[in-house]
Coordinates of all heavy atoms in Angstrom, one line a residue:
M225 N -24.7 40.3 114.8 CA -24.6 39.7 116.1 C -24.2 38.2 116.0 O -24.6 37.6 115.0 CB -25.9 39.8 116.9 CG -26.4 41.2 117.1 SD -27.8 41.3 118.1 CE -27.1 41.1 119.7
R226 N -23.6 37.7 117.0 CA -23.1 36.3 116.9 C -23.6 35.6 118.2 O -23.7 36.2 119.3 CB -21.6 36.2 116.8 CG -21.1 36.6 115.5 CD -19.6 36.5 115.4 NE -18.9 37.3 116.4 CZ -18.2 36.9 117.4 NH1 -18.0 35.6 117.6 NH2 -17.6 37.7 118.2
L227 N -23.8 34.3 118.1 CA -24.1 33.5 119.3 C -22.8 33.0 119.8 O -21.9 32.4 119.1 CB -25.0 32.3 118.9 CG -26.5 32.4 119.1 CD1 -27.1 31.1 118.7 CD2 -26.8 32.7 120.6
D228 N -22.7 33.1 121.1 CA -21.5 32.7 121.8 C -21.9 31.7 122.9 O -22.9 31.9 123.6 CB -20.8 33.9 122.4 CG -19.4 33.6 122.9 OD1 -18.7 32.9 122.1 OD2 -19.1 33.9 124.1
I229 N -21.1 30.6 123.1 CA -21.5 29.6 124.1 C -20.4 29.5 125.1 O -19.2 29.5 124.7 CB -21.9 28.3 123.4 CG1 -22.4 27.3 124.5 CG2 -20.7 27.7 122.7 CD1 -23.2 26.2 123.8
D230 N -20.7 29.4 126.3 CA -19.8 29.1 127.4 C -19.8 27.6 127.7 O -20.8 27.1 128.3 CB -20.2 29.9 128.7 CG -19.3 29.7 129.8 OD1 -18.4 28.7 129.8 OD2 -19.3 30.5 130.8
W231 N -18.8 26.9 127.2 CA -18.8 25.4 127.3 C -18.7 25.0 128.7 O -18.9 23.8 129.0 CB -17.7 24.8 126.4 CG -18.0 25.0 125.0 CD1 -17.4 25.8 124.1 CD2 -19.1 24.4 124.2 NE1 -18.0 25.8 122.8 CE2 -19.0 24.9 122.9 CE3 -20.1 23.5 124.5 CZ2 -19.9 24.5 121.9 CZ3 -21.0 23.1 123.6 CH2 -20.9 23.6 122.3
T232 N -18.2 25.8 129.6 CA -18.1 25.4 131.0 C -19.5 25.4 131.7 O -19.6 24.8 132.7 CB -17.2 26.4 131.8 OG1 -17.8 27.7 131.9 CG2 -15.8 26.5 131.2
R233 N -20.5 26.0 131.0 CA -21.8 26.0 131.6 C -22.8 25.0 130.9 O -23.7 24.5 131.5 CB -22.4 27.4 131.5 CG -21.8 28.4 132.5 CD -22.5 29.8 132.3 NE -22.0 30.7 133.2 CZ -22.7 31.0 134.3 NH1 -23.8 30.4 134.6 NH2 -22.3 31.9 135.2
C234 N -22.6 24.9 129.6 CA -23.6 24.1 128.8 C -23.7 22.7 129.3 O -22.7 22.0 129.5 CB -23.1 24.1 127.3 SG -24.2 23.1 126.3
D235 N -24.9 22.3 129.5 CA -25.2 20.9 130.0 C -25.8 20.0 129.0 O -26.2 18.9 129.2 CB -26.1 21.0 131.2 CG -25.4 21.5 132.5 OD1 -24.2 21.3 132.6 OD2 -26.1 22.1 133.3
G236 N -25.9 20.5 127.8 CA -26.4 19.7 126.7 C -27.9 19.5 126.8 O -28.4 18.4 126.4
H237 N -28.6 20.5 127.3 CA -30.1 20.3 127.5 C -30.8 20.2 126.1 O -31.8 19.6 125.9 CB -30.7 21.5 128.2 CG -30.3 21.6 129.6 ND1 -30.7 20.7 130.6 CD2 -29.4 22.4 130.2 CE1 -30.1 21.0 131.8 NE2 -29.3 22.1 131.6
G238 N -30.2 20.9 125.1 CA -30.7 20.9 123.8 C -31.8 21.8 123.5 O -32.3 21.8 122.4
L239 N -32.2 22.6 124.5 CA -33.3 23.5 124.3 C -33.0 24.5 123.1 O -33.8 24.9 122.4 CB -33.6 24.3 125.6 CG -34.8 25.2 125.6 CD1 -36.0 24.3 125.3 CD2 -34.9 25.8 127.0
C240 N -31.7 25.0 123.0 CA -31.3 25.9 122.0 C -31.6 25.4 120.6 O -31.9 26.1 119.7 CB -29.9 26.4 122.2 SG -28.7 25.1 122.3
A241 N -31.4 24.1 120.5 CA -31.6 23.5 119.1 C -33.0 23.4 118.8 O -33.4 23.5 117.6 CB -31.0 22.0 119.1
T242 N -33.9 23.3 119.8 CA -35.3 23.4 119.6 C -35.8 24.8 119.2 O -36.5 25.0 118.3 CB -36.1 22.9 120.8 OG1 -35.7 21.6 121.1 CG2 -37.6 22.9 120.6
L243 N -35.3 25.7 120.0 CA -35.7 27.1 119.7 C -35.1 27.7 118.5 O -35.6 28.7 117.9 CB -35.4 28.0 121.0 CG -36.2 27.6 122.2 CD1 -35.7 28.4 123.4 CD2 -37.6 27.9 122.0
L244 N -33.9 27.2 118.1 CA -33.3 27.7 116.9 C -33.1 26.5 115.9 O -32.1 26.3 115.3 CB -31.9 28.3 117.2 CG -31.9 29.7 117.7 CD1 -30.5 30.1 118.3 CD2 -32.3 30.7 116.6
A245 N -34.2 25.8 115.7 CA -34.2 24.7 114.7 C -33.8 25.1 113.4 O -34.2 26.2 112.9 CB -35.6 24.1 114.7
G246 N -32.9 24.3 112.8 CA -32.3 24.7 111.5 C -31.1 25.5 111.6 O -30.3 25.6 110.6
K247 N -30.8 26.1 112.7 CA -29.6 26.9 112.9 C -28.7 26.2 113.8 O -27.5 26.1 113.6 CB -30.0 28.3 113.5 CG -31.0 29.1 112.7 CD -30.6 29.4 111.3 CE -31.7 30.1 110.5 NZ -31.5 30.0 109.1
V248 N -29.2 25.8 115.0 CA -28.4 25.1 115.9 C -28.8 23.6 115.8 O -30.0 23.3 115.9 CB -28.6 25.6 117.4 CG1 -27.9 24.7 118.4 CG2 -28.2 27.0 117.5
T249 N -27.8 22.8 115.7 CA -28.0 21.3 115.7 C -27.3 20.7 116.9 O -26.6 21.4 117.6 CB -27.5 20.7 114.4 OG1 -26.1 21.0 114.2 CG2 -28.3 21.2 113.2
L250 N -27.6 19.5 117.1 CA -27.0 18.8 118.2 C -26.0 17.7 117.7 O -26.3 17.1 116.7 CB -28.0 18.1 119.1 CG -29.0 19.0 119.8 CD1 -30.0 18.2 120.6 CD2 -28.3 20.0 120.7
D251 N -24.9 17.6 118.4 CA -23.9 16.6 118.0 C -24.3 15.3 118.5 O -25.3 15.1 119.2 CB -22.5 17.0 118.4 CG -22.2 17.0 119.9 OD1 -23.1 16.5 120.6 OD2 -21.2 17.6 120.3
D252 N -23.5 14.3 118.3 CA -23.8 12.9 118.8 C -24.0 12.8 120.3 O -24.6 11.8 120.8 CB -22.7 11.9 118.3 CG -22.7 11.8 116.8 OD1 -23.7 12.2 116.2 OD2 -21.7 11.3 116.3
W253 N -23.4 13.7 121.0 CA -23.5 13.7 122.5 C -24.6 14.6 123.0 O -24.7 14.8 124.2 CB -22.2 14.0 123.1 CG -21.1 13.0 122.7 CD1 -20.8 11.9 123.4 CD2 -20.3 13.0 121.6 NE1 -19.8 11.2 122.8 CE2 -19.5 11.9 121.6 CE3 -20.1 13.9 120.5 CZ2 -18.5 11.6 120.7 CZ3 -19.1 13.6 119.6 CH2 -18.4 12.5 119.6
G254 N -25.3 15.2 122.1 CA -26.4 16.1 122.5 C -26.0 17.5 122.8 O -26.8 18.3 123.3
F255 N -24.8 17.9 122.5 CA -24.3 19.2 122.7 C -24.5 20.0 121.4 O -24.4 19.5 120.3 CB -22.9 19.2 123.1 CG -22.7 18.8 124.6 CD1 -22.5 17.5 124.9 CD2 -22.8 19.8 125.6 CE1 -22.4 17.1 126.2 CE2 -22.6 19.4 126.9 CZ -22.5 18.1 127.2
P256 N -24.8 21.3 121.6 CA -25.1 22.1 120.4 C -24.0 22.4 119.5 O -22.8 22.6 119.9 CB -25.7 23.4 121.0 CG -25.0 23.5 122.4 CD -24.8 22.1 122.8
V257 N -24.3 22.5 118.2 CA -23.3 22.9 117.2 C -23.8 24.3 116.8 O -24.9 24.5 116.2 CB -23.3 22.0 116.0 CG1 -22.3 22.5 115.0 CG2 -22.9 20.6 116.4
I258 N -23.1 25.3 117.3 CA -23.5 26.7 117.1 C -23.0 27.3 115.8 O -21.8 27.1 115.5 CB -23.0 27.6 118.3 CG1 -23.4 27.0 119.6 CG2 -23.4 29.0 118.1 CD1 -24.9 27.1 119.9
P259 N -23.9 27.9 115.0 CA -23.4 28.5 113.7 C -22.3 29.5 114.0 O -22.4 30.3 114.9 CB -24.6 29.1 113.1 CG -25.6 29.3 114.2 CD -25.3 28.2 115.3
R260 N -21.3 29.5 113.1 CA -20.3 30.5 113.2 C -20.7 31.7 112.4 O -21.5 31.6 111.5 CB -18.9 30.0 112.6 CG -18.3 28.9 113.4 CD -17.1 28.4 112.7 NE -16.5 27.3 113.5 CZ -15.5 27.5 114.4 NH1 -15.1 28.7 114.7 NH2 -15.1 26.5 115.1
G261 N -20.2 32.9 112.8 CA -20.5 34.1 112.0 C -21.7 34.8 112.5 O -22.3 34.4 113.5
E262 N -22.1 35.7 111.7 CA -23.2 36.6 112.0 C -24.5 35.9 111.9 O -24.8 35.1 111.0 CB -23.2 37.8 111.1 CG -22.1 38.8 111.2 CD -22.1 39.5 112.6 OE1 -23.2 40.1 112.9 OE2 -21.1 39.5 113.3
I263 N -25.4 36.2 112.9 CA -26.8 35.6 112.8 C -27.6 36.5 111.9 O -27.5 37.8 112.0 CB -27.4 35.7 114.2 CG1 -26.6 35.0 115.2 CG2 -28.9 35.3 114.2 CD1 -26.9 33.6 115.4
A264 N -28.3 35.9 111.0 CA -29.2 36.7 110.1 C -30.2 37.6 110.9 O -30.6 37.1 112.0 CB -30.0 35.8 109.2
K265 N -30.4 38.8 110.5 CA -31.3 39.7 111.2 C -32.6 39.1 111.6 O -33.1 39.2 112.7 CB -31.5 40.9 110.4 CG -31.6 42.2 111.2 CD -31.6 43.4 110.2 CE -31.5 44.7 111.1 NZ -31.2 45.8 110.3
A266 N -33.2 38.3 110.7 CA -34.5 37.7 111.0 C -34.4 36.7 112.1 O -35.4 36.3 112.7 CB -35.0 37.0 109.7
D267 N -33.2 36.1 112.3 CA -33.1 35.1 113.3 C -32.7 35.6 114.7 O -32.7 34.9 115.7 CB -32.0 34.1 112.9 CG -32.4 33.3 111.7 OD1 -33.6 33.0 111.6 OD2 -31.6 32.9 110.9
V268 N -32.3 36.9 114.7 CA -31.9 37.5 116.0 C -32.9 37.4 117.1 O -32.6 37.0 118.2 CB -31.4 39.0 115.8 CG1 -31.3 39.7 117.2 CG2 -30.1 39.0 115.0
P269 N -34.2 37.6 116.9 CA -35.2 37.5 117.9 C -35.2 36.0 118.5 O -35.4 35.8 119.7 CB -36.5 37.9 117.3 CG -36.2 38.7 116.2 CD -34.8 38.2 115.7
H270 N -35.1 35.1 117.6 CA -35.1 33.7 118.0 C -33.9 33.3 118.8 O -33.9 32.6 119.8 CB -35.2 32.7 116.8 CG -36.4 33.0 115.9 ND1 -37.7 32.8 116.3 CD2 -36.5 33.5 114.7 CE1 -38.5 33.1 115.4 NE2 -37.9 33.6 114.4
A271 N -32.7 33.9 118.3 CA -31.5 33.7 119.1 C -31.5 34.3 120.4 O -31.1 33.7 121.4 CB -30.3 34.3 118.2
R272 N -32.2 35.5 120.5 CA -32.3 36.1 121.8 C -33.2 35.3 122.7 O -32.9 35.1 123.9 CB -32.9 37.5 121.6 CG -32.6 38.5 122.6 CD -33.3 39.8 122.4 NE -32.9 40.5 121.1 CZ -31.8 41.2 121.0 NH1 -31.0 41.3 122.0 NH2 -31.6 41.8 119.8
R273 N -34.2 34.7 122.2 CA -35.1 33.9 123.0 C -34.4 32.6 123.5 O -34.5 32.2 124.6 CB -36.3 33.5 122.1 CG -37.5 33.0 122.9 CD -38.8 33.2 122.1 NE -38.8 32.5 120.8 CZ -39.4 31.3 120.6 NH1 -40.1 30.8 121.6 NH2 -39.3 30.8 119.4
A274 N -33.6 32.1 122.6 CA -32.9 30.8 122.9 C -31.9 31.1 124.0 O -31.7 30.4 125.0 CB -32.2 30.3 121.7
A275 N -31.2 32.3 123.9 CA -30.2 32.7 125.0 C -30.9 32.9 126.3 O -30.4 32.5 127.3 CB -29.5 33.9 124.5
A276 N -32.1 33.5 126.3 CA -32.8 33.8 127.5 C -33.3 32.5 128.1 O -33.5 32.4 129.3 CB -33.9 34.8 127.2
A277 N -33.6 31.5 127.3 CA -34.2 30.3 127.8 C -33.2 29.2 128.2 O -33.6 28.3 128.9 CB -35.1 29.7 126.7
C278 N -32.0 29.4 127.9 CA -31.0 28.4 128.2 C -30.9 28.2 129.7 O -30.6 29.2 130.5 CB -29.6 28.9 127.7 SG -28.3 27.8 128.3
P279 N -31.2 27.0 130.2 CA -31.3 26.8 131.7 C -29.9 26.9 132.3 O -29.9 27.2 133.6 CB -31.9 25.4 131.8 CG -31.8 24.8 130.4 CD -31.6 25.9 129.4
A280 N -28.9 26.8 131.6 CA -27.5 26.9 132.2 C -26.9 28.3 132.0 O -25.8 28.5 132.4 CB -26.6 25.8 131.6
L281 N -27.6 29.2 131.4 CA -27.1 30.6 131.1 C -25.8 30.5 130.3 O -24.9 31.2 130.5 CB -26.9 31.4 132.4 CG -28.1 31.5 133.3 CD1 -27.8 32.3 134.6 CD2 -29.3 32.2 132.6
A282 N -25.8 29.5 129.4 CA -24.5 29.3 128.6 C -24.5 30.0 127.3 O -23.4 30.2 126.7 CB -24.4 27.8 128.4
L283 N -25.7 30.5 126.8 CA -25.7 31.1 125.5 C -25.8 32.7 125.7 O -26.5 33.2 126.5 CB -27.0 30.7 124.8 CG -26.9 29.5 123.9 CD1 -28.2 29.3 123.2 CD2 -25.8 29.6 122.9
R284 N -25.0 33.3 124.8 CA -25.1 34.8 124.8 C -25.1 35.3 123.4 O -24.4 34.7 122.5 CB -23.8 35.4 125.5 CG -23.9 35.4 127.0 CD -22.8 36.3 127.5 NE -21.5 35.9 127.0 CZ -20.4 36.7 127.3 NH1 -20.5 37.7 128.0 NH2 -19.2 36.3 126.8
L285 N -25.8 36.4 123.2 CA -25.6 37.1 121.9 C -24.6 38.1 122.0 O -24.6 38.9 123.0 CB -27.0 37.7 121.5 CG -27.9 36.9 120.7 CD1 -29.2 37.7 120.5 CD2 -27.3 36.6 119.3
K286 N -23.6 38.1 121.1 CA -22.6 39.1 121.2 C -22.6 40.0 119.9 O -22.9 39.5 118.9 CB -21.2 38.4 121.3 CG -20.9 37.9 122.7 CD -19.7 37.1 122.7 CE -18.5 38.0 123.2 NZ -17.3 37.2 123.3
G287 N -22.2 41.2 120.1 CA -22.1 42.1 119.0 C -22.8 43.4 119.1 O -23.4 43.6 120.2
T288 N -22.9 44.1 118.1 CA -23.5 45.4 118.2 C -25.0 45.3 118.2 O -25.5 44.3 117.6 CB -23.1 46.3 117.0 OG1 -23.3 45.7 115.8 CG2 -21.6 46.7 117.1
G289 N -25.6 46.2 118.7 CA -27.1 46.3 118.7 C -27.8 45.5 119.7 O -29.0 45.3 119.7
G290 N -27.1 45.0 120.7 CA -27.8 44.4 121.7 C -27.5 43.3 122.5 O -28.2 42.7 123.2
Ligands
SF4_516 S1 -29.9 25.3 125.9 FE1 -28.0 26.0 127.0 S2 -27.3 24.3 128.2 FE2 -28.8 23.5 126.7 S3 -27.6 22.8 125.0 FE3 -28.2 24.9 124.6 S4 -26.5 26.1 125.3 FE4 -26.3 24.1 126.3

């Protein structure tokens, strides 16, 4: 599974960087730097939680399995 972001929605709240600390970082403007490629299986629940918590509904998990 991969994390996908809709930049037209993201407001740079930074919540995803808090919920996915160490995976998602923030750039100089407070916008998230989303890891490319597959999310490690152990991180999928955290990624799912971050996507659900995004106040702008900008984050999505894409891929097989969910
Ligand atoms: S939580 Fe959502 S709106 Fe906030 S920085 Fe992350 S993707 Fe953007």
Side-chain angles (χ1 to χ4, degrees):
M225 301 186 81
R226 289 181 298 116
L227 259 184
D228 192 48
I229 188 162
D230 180 346
W231 291 111
T232 66
R233 287 179 174 264
C234 176
D235 286 331
H237 296 287
L239 188 59
C240 51
T242 300
L243 292 175
L244 278 170
K247 307 295 175 199
V248 173
T249 56
L250 297 179
D251 68 14
D252 291 345
W253 294 271
F255 284 89
V257 180
I258 304 293
R260 291 177 184 270
E262 293 290 311
I263 304 270
K265 213 169 189 170
D267 293 327
V268 168
H270 303 293
R272 205 182 297 282
R273 198 157 59 101
C278 172
L281 304 178
L283 269 185
R284 279 195 308 174
L285 268 177
K286 285 175 97 174
T288 55

